[in-house]
Amino acid sequence: MLNYMRSNRREVIAGFVLVTLLATYLGTHPRGASTYVMTIWANQCLILGLAACAQFFAVVVRGIDLSVGAVMALTNCIASYLLDGSALGIAFGMVAVVAAGAFCGLVNGLIIVFGRIQPIVVTLATASIFVGLALLLRPTPGGAVNYDLADAMTLDLLGIPTALILTTIAVVGFWLPFRRTGLGLGLYALGSSEQAAFQSGIDTRFIRLAAFTLAGLFGGLAGLFYSFVTTTGDAGIAAGFTLNSIAAVVLGGVLLRGGVGTLVGALAGAFILKTIASLMFFSGIPSLAQPLFEGLILAAAIAIGSADILRARNKLEVFG
Amino acid sequence: MLRQISIDSLMPYFGVVVLIIVGSFFFPQILSADYLTQQLQIAAFLGLLATGATIVILLGHIDLSVPWILTGAAILSTALVGSGNPVLNVLAVPAALAFGACIGVVNGIGVAILRIPSMVWTLAVNSMLLGVAVLNTGGFNPKGESSTLMVTMASGDVLGLPISFLIWIAISIALALFLVRTPFGRYLRSIGFNEKATFLSGVSTPSVVFAAFAIAGMCSALGGVMLAGYANQAYQSMGDPFLLPTIAAVVIGGTSILGGRGGLFGTIGGALFITLLTSILSVMQIDDAWRNIIFGVIILAMLLFQTLRKGATV
């Protein structure tokens, strides 16, 4: 157990911070730890959580995805057309929405791999294109999502918020098995050292392509879940989510230089970020001062996360 | 200075010529002197931000705190002028520049001492600045006005050329000379290539990082002051629409986002190109959606052209 905690130090710290924050939140909330409070909290967290998962796949291969928010906006707008009507139509619509997200990621990956351009620049440009497409679909916010489905996805099951169940499914059903596959290991190999990965016979181009496609896929899932929560399509949501997803993965212990961190950490980081925001709401701090406190807490959390620097024995270790 | 002129950095200038020629087929008034000088005036705002961003990107870092340094400087300067006190009126511009430099140093502390990735630290600094601004102004548009000096800097002209454009070019030339002629410039690029090696050569790398971020902060602050002069007021999130075009202008100008390679000559072209592209797309009354799409496609096309050209020669 102790060994496990030591080797997953970053996730353990993030988890600890999250539990403390959540306890404070539920303690200060006027309605306490009711299902209602938990459900609203979990929904907000999972939207950013999925966006952070998307960012994680780009970051772990030493890239960055500035189009996460744009993919969410685009898939959200697609969802607002497809997720209403017959049951079969809706089922098809959900698949189509996620596929659209994955396709966006694939386009990013293809340009990065075959155009040999830095991910940060490529996704900056494609983000503009995706937002443009979203605006073509929904010049003004509107559309609808089937209410029964939205309720099923965003309320609770036997008192447990559905969003938390979905999070568990993502971790246990997807991440834990995935990490042991060749592709999962390849992501870390590529992120740690591209040259070593290449020389070990790993198809680095395929891995990078897959990583960005997965990033798009999770962006699509984030957009889909956002549609369930808001039940409308809005092309203007991109900017906030992209930057927050980067902050979330860093809070969750994922290193921007690649190869370090897990999906669980990214999720924890996103949950921390959202819990801070909800905590502010009930904290009694004057509402005008809340953005400042949010910024201060974010900066402090990031600074503490980099406390590893104090353990450097040699000045050269600092440069990594 | 001449060494900086590579084919990559000439690309945006070539793009500007193509834009003007193609645009003039649809709208002959694009060729008028009025329209072109107005573009130079507007390009100066983006250009100043991009100048600062180039310095930081050459270092191998990125500055995401541009939007709220810009807004903060604008709020600060207009508030000082709005106080009605003649002394504060004179101090408005220097105070805004000092503010930019201070935030730049804060950025530098996080990046050079705490070793936090610049992308995250400057983002956190940006949100703290946002918080301070909201707290200060109560979330409403800040009160205050621009001084005559600020208005002149943004909208005046000398011999038919906009003053804002002249300020931008003068600062670019001064910084370009600074980069080429002083040790600082060489250290800046060498840190961009390999920070460890630069440190081992005996360079005090943290002070170079501090200076670079401070210069970038001052450029953003000056952009904010001039933008406030242009709009005759400061307003919340006036800097947000500038962040991504700034990075795009630097990259199109042939500066590598990884650091070390590139220069200010290309950035001038990049800023001109992006301003002209945005302007022509809005003159043509293309709606927002298509404007975004065309903007993204053209940037991608230019970047692809740059890398594919290298692929053919190397």
Side-chain angles (χ1 to χ4, degrees):
Chain A
M1 184 66 189
L2 207 61
N3 270 335
Y4 175 82
M5 283 175 71
R6 200 167 291 155
S7 58
N8 290 283
R9 185 165 41 90
R10 294 165 174 283
E11 285 72 31
V12 172
I13 295 175
F16 183 73
V17 172
L18 176 58
V19 170
T20 318
L21 282 172
L22 182 58
T24 322
Y25 171 56
L26 294 176
T28 53
H29 195 286
R31 291 185 62 173
S34 61
T35 305
Y36 174 74
V37 175
M38 289 290 285
T39 308
I40 291 178
W41 168 80
N43 284 340
Q44 289 304 318
C45 286
L46 184 59
I47 298 173
L48 186 61
L50 289 168
C53 291
Q55 192 63 256
F56 163 77
F57 282 108
V59 168
V60 82
V61 294
R62 202 181 281 221
I64 194 131
D65 189 348
L66 294 185
S67 69
V68 169
V71 171
M72 283 177 68
L74 178 55
T75 49
N76 174 231
C77 289
I78 297 175
S80 70
Y81 280 100
L82 296 182
L83 297 189
D84 213 359
S86 69
L88 191 68
I90 291 176
F92 168 77
M94 282 168 62
V95 175
V97 167
V98 179
F103 180 73
C104 290
L106 180 67
V107 170
N108 281 336
L110 286 172
I111 300 173
I112 291 165
V113 170
F114 294 103
R116 297 197 310 276
I117 310 176
Q118 279 301 310
I120 179 172
V121 193
V122 171
T123 52
L124 178 72
T126 54
S128 179
I129 299 175
F130 298 152
V131 169
L133 291 173
L135 278 170
L136 275 187
L137 289 173
R138 287 259 172 242
T140 53
V145 169
N146 186 296
Y147 280 117
D148 293 332
L149 179 68
D151 281 351
M153 288 297 184
T154 55
L155 293 180
D156 59 287
L157 200 67
L158 304 172
I160 304 168
T162 321
L164 290 185
I165 300 176
L166 293 174
T167 311
T168 317
I169 293 175
V171 171
V172 178
F174 168 73
W175 173 246
L176 294 181
F178 174 80
R179 195 181 181 179
R180 293 175 195 285
T181 61
L183 181 56
L185 289 172
L187 291 179
Y188 285 97
L190 181 59
S192 307
S193 167
E194 178 161 10
Q195 194 178 0
F198 178 74
Q199 288 177 342
S200 324
I202 292 176
D203 186 349
T204 52
R205 293 201 292 190
F206 170 74
I207 302 272
R208 182 163 282 130
L209 212 52
F212 276 91
T213 309
L214 278 168
L217 184 116
F218 271 89
L221 284 172
L224 184 64
F225 192 73
Y226 185 84
S227 317
F228 290 142
V229 175
T230 62
T231 66
T232 54
D234 183 354
I237 61 171
F241 280 110
T242 303
L243 297 183
N244 277 331
S245 69
I246 298 174
V249 294
V250 172
L251 277 180
V254 182
L255 287 193
L256 287 185
R257 67 174 152 80
V260 177
T262 63
L263 194 79
V264 182
L267 279 166
F271 277 50
I272 290 174
L273 210 56
K274 273 293 163 193
T275 312
I276 293 174
S278 342
L279 195 57
M280 283 295 143
F281 198 72
F282 292 104
S283 58
I285 296 173
S287 61
L288 284 176
Q290 285 181 9
L292 176 59
F293 273 85
E294 264 187 71
L296 284 174
I297 294 177
L298 176 64
I302 291 167
I304 291 168
S306 73
D308 265 5
I309 200 76
L310 298 174
R311 289 156 35 117
R313 280 155 305 200
N314 177 323
K315 190 100 201 276
L316 280 181
E317 281 180 22
V318 166
F319 295 109
Chain B
M1 187 74 189
L2 281 175
R3 264 189 313 174
Q4 282 189 23
I5 301 177
S6 63
I7 295 183
D8 276 351
S9 60
L10 282 173
M11 272 276 296
Y13 293 95
F14 181 68
V16 166
V17 174
V18 171
L19 274 180
I20 292 178
I21 293 172
V22 173
S24 65
F25 278 120
F26 298 97
F27 293 95
Q29 68 266 38
I30 283 179
L31 288 174
S32 72
D34 272 357
Y35 178 82
L36 291 176
T37 50
Q38 195 200 354
Q39 295 315 306
L40 291 181
Q41 181 196 355
I42 297 172
F45 306 128
L46 179 65
L48 274 170
L49 304 177
T51 302
T54 309
I55 305 280
V56 173
I57 289 176
L58 278 177
L59 191 67
H61 288 289
I62 199 158
D63 184 358
L64 298 185
S65 63
V66 167
W68 281 91
I69 293 185
L70 185 160
T71 314
I75 292 177
L76 182 65
S77 55
T78 51
L80 286 178
V81 174
S83 68
N85 184 329
V87 179
L88 293 182
N89 192 328
V90 174
L91 282 178
V93 177
L97 290 180
F99 164 79
C102 284
I103 304 299
V105 170
V106 173
N107 283 335
I109 291 175
V111 172
I113 310 286
L114 298 173
R115 308 295 305 176
I116 303 169
S118 51
M119 182 172 261
V120 192
W121 178 247
T122 54
L123 191 61
V125 168
N126 192 46
S127 59
M128 283 191 281
L129 287 176
L130 179 151
V132 174
V134 170
L135 186 60
N136 243 325
T137 58
F140 299 107
N141 274 347
K143 295 195 172 57
E145 55 187 320
S146 310
S147 64
T148 341
L149 173 64
M150 287 158 69
V151 174
T152 315
M153 279 163 69
S155 313
D157 56 280
V158 175
L159 302 173
L161 282 175
I163 291 181
S164 62
F165 175 71
L166 296 175
I167 294 178
W168 168 38
I169 297 302
I171 289 179
S172 291
I173 291 176
L175 281 174
L177 286 176
F178 191 51
L179 286 185
V180 179
R181 294 285 165 80
T182 62
F184 171 82
R186 281 192 292 279
Y187 297 159
L188 191 76
R189 281 169 209 270
S190 57
I191 290 178
F193 277 119
N194 189 335
E195 185 170 10
K196 203 173 190 171
T198 314
F199 173 74
L200 284 176
S201 325
V203 177
S204 160
T205 51
S207 41
V208 178
V209 174
F210 280 129
F213 273 98
I215 292 173
M218 285 169 77
C219 286
S220 306
L222 186 59
V225 168
M226 284 167 53
L227 209 56
Y230 183 68
N232 207 12
Q233 60 171 345
Y235 46 96
Q236 300 284 350
S237 40
M238 62 197 285
D240 289 351
F242 282 96
L243 178 60
L244 298 183
T246 301
I247 301 173
V250 176
V251 175
I252 285 183
T255 299
S256 161
I257 199 89
L258 297 175
R261 204 172 289 113
L264 287 167
F265 177 73
T267 302
I268 298 176
L272 287 173
F273 177 79
I274 289 197
T275 308
L276 200 61
L277 177 62
T278 318
S279 164
I280 288 181
L281 288 178
S282 59
V283 168
M284 291 172 81
Q285 296 187 332
I286 293 172
D287 61 58
D288 221 17
W290 282 107
R291 219 185 295 173
N292 272 300
I293 296 174
I294 295 172
F295 187 79
V297 168
I298 289 186
I299 290 179
L300 268 184
M302 291 189 74
L303 293 169
L304 278 173
F305 184 80
Q306 286 179 356
T307 49
L308 294 183
R309 192 183 58 78
K310 272 177 215 143
T313 51
V314 170

